[in-house]
Amino acid sequence: MLYEHMELLESIGLDLLFAAIFFFIGMAIKDVLKQGNVPPFGQKIVWLVLFLGCAGFVAKGLIQLSWEGAGIS
């Protein structure tokens, strides 16, 4: 297998790992919020922060792809 394919598989695997980590973090937070009887406003704040963290990783990936496609980096 060519080295370029190994790089692609490594990149996809890393992205899937991050997706799985965010999923498990979300499940843990859901369980903690449910058991802690957190008010709805607090729950919304917690989910907003989690979403913004995930969106930051997605934005980083999209920016990196666009820069690599343009030959900047």
Side-chain angles (χ1 to χ4, degrees):
M1 189 178 287
L2 296 175
Y3 182 72
E4 294 86 27
H5 296 287
M6 291 298 291
E7 246 181 65
L8 178 65
L9 288 175
E10 187 178 278
S11 174
I12 291 172
L14 190 61
D15 291 340
L16 291 176
L17 175 71
F18 283 137
I21 287 172
F22 276 118
F23 173 75
F24 287 126
I25 288 172
M27 295 302 293
I29 289 174
K30 179 180 176 185
D31 186 49
V32 168
L33 292 176
K34 184 177 177 183
Q35 289 182 3
N37 295 327
V38 177
F41 179 73
Q43 290 180 11
K44 289 177 185 172
I45 295 297
V46 169
W47 288 115
L48 176 68
V49 169
L50 180 65
F51 171 76
L52 290 175
C54 184
F57 274 108
V58 171
K60 177 203 169 271
L62 293 175
I63 291 168
Q64 185 177 7
L65 281 175
S66 68
W67 282 13
E68 287 175 358
I72 293 175
S73 175

